[in-house]
């Protein structure tokens, strides 16, 4: 079967008891862009890491240009002309751009010469990029770092280029630029694999699409002969029947109101820019936006984990700005954020489910001793209610599979009986059934008069589940729309910043409640 | 002794008795630049000292001594690398154990050989003569500082050369760049095809070998008289401190050695300075020696705090991955 | 040269993380490690013409079997064991939080000096039991504060605590030698009459009492106190809210912060507690020997780190491991007197060897070696 740059046959990889890839087949031709599509946790990155030599497959075979190869290390991959741009960049922060490339160069001579900067600059130009070779990585923006990674891969002479979710952190213009680069590389005869779960990008850039689901290879189709709907079906398994209930509940006065909130990210750049919104009891407010648009910072700020630059936040009329996380918790505001590694925030991975149940309420009671009996009871109940798969309540959370970890986290949050739930990506990587369990839980909370802030990725889900959707683009509010009135196209345009509805109604600015608790305005109006 | 002679002798001692620190520090810098925090410097130096000394004396050759010290030091490094790089053991614990183990070997071998059969420098003429001072022509003729700075034994020159060479190696060679990338971000180094494990192994062994040389120097400095106090006597720990003081830069380590060495020498020969210049330096006698001994650690502690307060990216030579083991399949 | 560094040895196997290692397997690995270490030690002994069997017998029985003065041996053994066990327990508190307090030596010294200070100053004017209690409290507070230095710097500026506590060890050590080697009017720590600087004993002023058990054997109260502290710390770590906080902070500081814990306060509190317990160990040591010495620590600050790590920070295991390490150290000193050819430093060598092999065994507990299947 000549003609393929890469063929993978029956690749299987397990991590302990977790099967990450099961008998996966994949092939790419030279001069073609293959999109590798799948939900989070479907094993795309693991599969690609086996091409780049990070992991070794348990079984299966790989052919490069028709020849069977064994890729034992990144060194092997490099020699075989495979280059991967990882989602988390593999760059040395304190090195200059040139040195990051130079350090992997073979036959680079004994002595480091100044000339290397010129050489790298020339190469960069030749590939059609603009990059200062002396700039240190820690001074670079995300897109500069990505450019550097691509230049690096090209410089090493890669013929097969893998990009792991390259667009997740880019602006619209940057994505367009990246796509032009990819097209140019394709024209030069490179084989390109791009990992993504964004359908519009798949349709725009790829020639063929390979779809994975839960670690298994589903199929490969020509992009021109398929549709987003068809791809989605393959990706999620069966026809997407987003028949999520949206019960109508009598809404209360705003529980949580946010006015003109501005927050910085860890690097000190503005993450959330002058954002206002409110959540009533009995409503689900969705927050849509491209990943990394300030969602994390927003959640952390409300939970009191991140200082704000300016703005106001009130809960039932009481200020919560500057309060410690503990006090905010006690007011009944629950925040659960599922980060990409699923364990980073909200759970102590090495500790048991029981101990994790106690995380937020372990202080209860006067006794200096911890009440594990209560923790165990809660654990048992959550395990039963959410059908968590676990050997026992004493199993460390780290050992559970992703979906079960999330159920434990969300189960604990709801158990605490909050009146405001902030939840970010609660269904990240979950299968459909588990996702529905989560939707039902949220709806139940809504019926009980809880206000829910749902930060999500999947627009279909948000349109079906939420009452209103707040759209963020680069930290700015693009508007708040009614979920049942809006369209996916409208949301997409807003997310990319091409449509700004925040000033749509001059008399009713987006994100400000009529019956606000902000007193001064009440007086003004009254 | 005339007054200028006292100054010359003082300068001479600053260099002569503190070069082991330079060896230890430079060796540890090489190890740490590969991302490994080896707290076994003291033990490694002790092993190098005892084997270097005994082999050198028995063969009656300074060269054999140097070789033996380097190799046994490197062997300690190999042990450390095997445990931390291949077997992923905690670096702090392994380093501390290496110190216990090294000192154990040192005393075991030393005490076993102690007695009439103990090899002495008097019987190993070549070693003794090899360790004698060599004057650099012209430079050593400069009044006062000439004899102090430019008339030393060959191991002093070797130490300085090693330090400068390693500075150049780290900063100006491709391999040095690769090494630094391993210490900063092993995953990045791995992804571009650098053999992280091999780099670590080689440099841990190289650095440990250099520490071994420092130990050998100590042995010769003590004229090989073996008693209950170890020849190394804490120099290994000062070296760990000096690495921070020198900001992981081997050429700064030379300066650091002499700054620390200055205080160390004051402890030893402060009283002769005080006697020669009673009016000016008489107060030297009043300062407790322990203050001099503690000063390297006090200064390093201050340096440590100051750098962590400044915490400016790119200004510190601290390898970002220092102390953490690298396992490729870790996500 | 570059080519040399880029060649990858191709191995027919690779390592994989182990999900779960059953207890029996762990025990086997550790046991194997110890046996191999002892065999290697036997090889050394055999090489210098000593019967390894005889030597090990002498060492592990500490010469107590068939000895009329065995009670004396046990008493001395306990004297070595107590400071090590308590120091290890103390250090394990900080380690559990992933705070690398390797400053046990320095904290021990500060505790010992302050306990001696109280003994000299308060001893002559107060009842013995008051003095002893004040000694313990002072030692704990001073050692705790000494430990807090690194803690505060870590919390405030992110200063590396491993290197910081290392420096503080030596600063404390030279402070102690300063006291021990400086003859001066103010220095009441030294003997007045002696021309050379020698530490004055306060044995006659105040000392921890011993309880006679049986005919000759006397059990120092420190033994009971240490066991009590050990039990308290076990409960503290396992069953109290503060212990729970330590676990969470150690596991994931972000999660702790998220759960509304005041992470910095917990870190400081735990570091203080850890250091002050090291101080308590020092007070016990000084209070039962009645005299300072420049080698008062017996390296427990170092050995304690290793013990705590080997015992995997499990309080009960710490007592067992430190008891074994003490047999090794104490027994070899004893055996050295029987076997002139074998230096007492053999213990350090053997101890190092055992530790290396146990660290290696740890690898096989955390990882397993899998054969690389050639995919066809």
């Amino acid at each position: 079967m000549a003609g393929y740059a890469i063929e993978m046959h029956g690749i299987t990889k397990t991590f302990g008891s977790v099967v990450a890839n099961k008998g996966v087949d994949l092939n790419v031709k030279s001069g073609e862009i293959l999109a590798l599509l799948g939900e989070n946790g479907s094993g795309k990155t693991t599969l690609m890491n086996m091409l780049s030599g990070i992991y070794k497959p348990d079984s299966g075979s790989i052919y490069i240009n028709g020849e069977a190869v064994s890729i034992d290390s990144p060194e092997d991959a490099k020699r075989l002309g495979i280059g991967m741009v990882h989602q988390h960049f593999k760059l040395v922060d304190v090195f200059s751009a040139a040195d990051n490339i130079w350090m992997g160069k073979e036959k680079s001579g004994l002595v480091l010469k100044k000339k290397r900067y010129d050489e790298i600059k020339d190469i960069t130009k030749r590939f059609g990029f603009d990059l200062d070779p002396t700039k240190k990585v820690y001074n670079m923006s995300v897109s500069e770092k990505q450019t550097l990674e691509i230049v690096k891969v090209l410089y090493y002479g890669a013929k097969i280029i893998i990009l792991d979710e390259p667009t997740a952190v880019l602006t619209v213009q940057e994505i367009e630029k990246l796509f032009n680069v990819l097209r140019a590389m394709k024209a030069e005869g490179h084989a390109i694999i791009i990992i993504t779960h964004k359908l519009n990008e798949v349709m725009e850039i790829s020639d063929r699409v390979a779809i994975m689901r839960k670690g298994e290879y589903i199929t490969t189709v020509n992009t021109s002969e398929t549709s987003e709907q068809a791809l989605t079906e393959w990706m999620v398994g069966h026809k997407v029947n987003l028949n999520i209930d949206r019960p109508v509940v009598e809404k209360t006065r705003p529980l949580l109101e946010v006015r003109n909130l501005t927050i910085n990210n860890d690097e000190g750049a503005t993450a959330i820019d002058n954002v206002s919104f409110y959540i009533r009891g009995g409503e689900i407010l969705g927050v849509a936006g491209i990943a990394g648009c300030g969602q994390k910072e927003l959640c952390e700020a409300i939970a009191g984990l991140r200082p704000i630059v300016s703005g106001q936040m009130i809960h039932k009329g009481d200020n919560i700005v500057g309060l410690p996380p503990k006090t905010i918790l006690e007011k009944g505001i629950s925040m659960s954020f599922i980060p990409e590694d699923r364990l980073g925030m909200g759970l102590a991975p090495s500790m048991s489910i029981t101990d994790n149940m106690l995380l937020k309420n372990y202080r209860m009671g006067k006794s200096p001793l911890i009440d594990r009996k209560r923790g165990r009871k809660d654990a048992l109940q959550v395990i039963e209610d959410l059908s968590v798969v676990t050997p026992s309540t004493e199993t460390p959370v780290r050992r559970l599979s992703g979906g079960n970890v999330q159920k434990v986290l969300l189960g604990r949050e709801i158990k605490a009986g909050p009146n405001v739930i902030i939840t970010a990506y609660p269904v990240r990587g979950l299968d459909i059934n588990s996702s529905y369990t989560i939707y039902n839980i949220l709806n139940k909370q809504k019926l009980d008069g809880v206000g829910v802030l749902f930060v999500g990725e999947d627009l279909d889900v948000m349109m079906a589940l939420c009452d209103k959707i707040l759209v963020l683009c680069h930290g700015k509010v693009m508007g708040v729309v009614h979920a049942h009135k809006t369209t996916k196209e409208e949301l997409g345009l807003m997310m990319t910043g091409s449509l700004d509805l925040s000033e749509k109604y001059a008399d009713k600015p987006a994100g400000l409640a009529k019956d606000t608790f902000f007193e001064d305005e009440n007086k003004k109006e009254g | 002794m005339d007054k200028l002679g006292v100054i010359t002798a003082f300068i001479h001692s600053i260099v002569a008795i503190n070069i082991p620190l330079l060896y230890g520090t430079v060796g540890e810098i090489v190890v740490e630049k590969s991302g490994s925090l080896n707290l076994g410097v003291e033990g490694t130096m002790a092993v190098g000292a005892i084997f270097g000394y005994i082999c050198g004396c028995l063969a009656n050759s300074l060269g054999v001594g140097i070789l033996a010290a380097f190799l046994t030091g490197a062997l300690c490094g190999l042990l450390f690398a095997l445990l931390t790089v291949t077997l992923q053991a905690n670096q702090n614990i392994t380093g501390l154990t290496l110190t216990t183990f090294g000192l154990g070997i040192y005393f075991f071998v030393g005490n076993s050989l102690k007695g009439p059969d103990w090899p002495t420098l008097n019987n190993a003429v070549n070693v003794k003569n090899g360790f004698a001072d060599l004057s650099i022509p012209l430079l050593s003729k400069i009044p006062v500082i000439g004899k102090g700075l430019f008339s030393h034994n060959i191991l002093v020159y070797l130490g300085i050369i090693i330090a400068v060479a390693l500075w150049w190696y780290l900063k100006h060679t491709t391999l040095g760049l690769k090494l630094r990338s391993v210490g900063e971000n092993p995953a990045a180094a791995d992804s571009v095809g650098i053999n992280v494990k091999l780099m670590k192994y080689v440099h841990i062994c190289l650095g440990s070998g250099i520490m071994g040389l420092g130990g050998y120097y100590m042995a010769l400095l003590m004229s090989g008289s073996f008693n209950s106090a170890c020849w190394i006597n804490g120099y290994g720990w000062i070296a760990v401190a000096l690495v921070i003081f020198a900001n992981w830069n081997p050429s700064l380590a030379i300066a650091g050695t002499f700054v620390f060495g200055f205080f160390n020498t004051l402890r030893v020969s402060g009283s002769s300075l005080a006697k020669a210049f009673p009016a000016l330096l008489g107060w030297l006698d009043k300062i407790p020696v322990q203050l001099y001994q503690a000063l390297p650690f006090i200064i390093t502690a201050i340096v440590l705090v100051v750098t962590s307060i400044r915490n400016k990216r790119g200004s510190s030579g601290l390898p970002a991955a220092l102390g953490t083991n690298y396992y490729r399949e870790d996500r | 040269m570059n080519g040399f560094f880029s060649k990858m040895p191709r191995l027919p196997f690779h390592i994989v993380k182990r999900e779960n290692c059953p207890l029996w397997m762990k025990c086997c690995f550790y046991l194997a490690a110890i046996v191999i270490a002892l065999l290697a030690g036997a090889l050394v002994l055999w090489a210098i013409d000593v019967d390894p069997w005889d030597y090990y017998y002498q060492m592990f029985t500490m010469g107590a079997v068939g000895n009329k003065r065995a009670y004396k041996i046990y008493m001395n053994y306990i004297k070595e064991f107590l400071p090590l066990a308590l120091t290890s327990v103390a250090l394990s508190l900080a380690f559990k939080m992933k705070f690398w307090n390797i400053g046990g030596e320095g904290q021990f010294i500060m505790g010992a000096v302050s306990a001696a200070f109280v003994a000299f100053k308060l001893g002559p004017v107060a009842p013995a039991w008051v003095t002893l209690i004040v000694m313990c409290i002072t030692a704990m507070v001073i050692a705790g504060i000494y430990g807090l230095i690194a803690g505060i710097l870590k919390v405030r500026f992110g200063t590396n605590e491993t290197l910081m506590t290392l420096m503080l060890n030596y600063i404390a050590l030279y402070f102690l030698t300063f006291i021990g080697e400086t003859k001066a009017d103010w220095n009441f720590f030294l003997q007045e009459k002696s021309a050379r600087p020698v530490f004055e004993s306060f044995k006659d002023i105040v000392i921890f009492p011993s309880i006679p058990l049986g005919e000759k054997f006397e059990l120092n109260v420190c033994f009971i106190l240490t066991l009590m502290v050990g039990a308290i710390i076990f409960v503290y770590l396992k069953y109290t809210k503060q212990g729970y906080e330590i676990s969470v902070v150690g596991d994931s500081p972000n999660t702790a912060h998220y759960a509304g814990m005041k992470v910095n306060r917990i870190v400081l509190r735990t570091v203080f507690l850890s250091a002050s317990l090291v101080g308590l160990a020092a007070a016990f040591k000084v209070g039962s020997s009645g005299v300072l010495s420049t080698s008062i620590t017996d390296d427990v600050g170092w050995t304690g780190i290793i013990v705590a790590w080997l015992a995997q920070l499990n309080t009960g295991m710490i007592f067992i491991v430190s008891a074994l390490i003490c047999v090794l150290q104490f027994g070899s000193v004893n055996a050295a007197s029987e076997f002139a050819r074998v230096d007492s430093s053999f213990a350090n060598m053997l101890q190092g060897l055992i530790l290396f092999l146990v660290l290696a065994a740890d690898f096989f507990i955390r990882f397993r070696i899998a054969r690389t299947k050639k995919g066809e």
Side-chain angles (χ1 to χ4, degrees), chain B residues 265-281:
Chain B
T265 315
L266 273 184
R267 170 178 66 94
V268 181
S269 46
S271 60
S272 66
L273 278 179
K275 270 197 208 94
F277 305 96
L280 200 61
L281 297 171

Side-chain angles (χ1 to χ4, degrees), chain C residues 142-172:
Chain C
I142 299 291
I145 290 171
Y146 201 61
L148 264 188
I149 296 174
I152 291 171
L153 289 171
K154 163 100 174 175
V155 165
R156 187 78 185 71
F157 305 116
T159 312
N160 183 317
E161 78 274 18
T162 315
L163 299 170
M164 194 64 202
T165 46
L166 183 68
M167 299 306 125
L168 290 174
N169 279 346
Y170 283 90
I171 295 170

Side-chain angles (χ1 to χ4, degrees), chain C residues 57-182:
Chain C
Y57 180 79
Q58 189 71 22
M59 189 173 96
F60 283 113
T61 57
M62 300 183 289
V65 173
N67 190 329
K68 263 186 268 172
R69 294 164 61 80
Y71 67 93
K72 197 105 201 167
I73 291 172
Y74 293 132
M75 276 162 66
N76 285 332
Y77 169 76
I78 287 173
K79 257 189 210 155
E80 290 229 347
F81 163 71
L82 292 183
L84 179 61
L86 191 48
T87 306
S88 311
V89 168
L91 293 176
S92 72
L93 274 174
F95 292 169
K96 194 133 209 170
M97 210 174 52
K98 303 233 165 77
F99 184 95
W100 290 103
N101 176 17
I102 64 167
E105 287 284 301
Q107 289 145 18
F108 197 94
I109 288 169
M110 291 322 246
V113 171
S114 39
F117 177 89
V118 173
F120 281 119
K121 288 292 173 193
L122 190 66
V125 293
W129 64 271
V130 174
T131 310
L132 287 172
I133 290 173
V134 177
M135 273 169 78
C136 290
I137 292 172
T138 317
M140 288 177 76
V141 171
I142 299 291
I145 290 171
Y146 201 61
L148 264 188
I149 296 174
I152 291 171
L153 289 171
K154 163 100 174 175
V155 165
R156 187 78 185 71
F157 305 116
T159 312
N160 183 317
E161 78 274 18
T162 315
L163 299 170
M164 194 64 202
T165 46
L166 183 68
M167 299 306 125
L168 290 174
N169 279 346
Y170 283 90
I171 295 170
L173 176 65
Y174 290 115
F175 172 64
L176 176 65
T177 45
F178 168 67
I179 294 173
E181 291 171 357
T182 310

Side-chain angles (χ1 to χ4, degrees), chain A residues 335 347 350 355 362 370, chain C residues 238-239 244-245 251 255 258:
Chain A
M335 195 274 277
L347 291 170
S350 306
D355 278 358
Y362 72 97
I370 192 152
Chain C
K238 203 146 186 180
Y239 297 107
Y244 177 78
E245 289 176 336
D251 201 20
T255 298
Y258 160 92

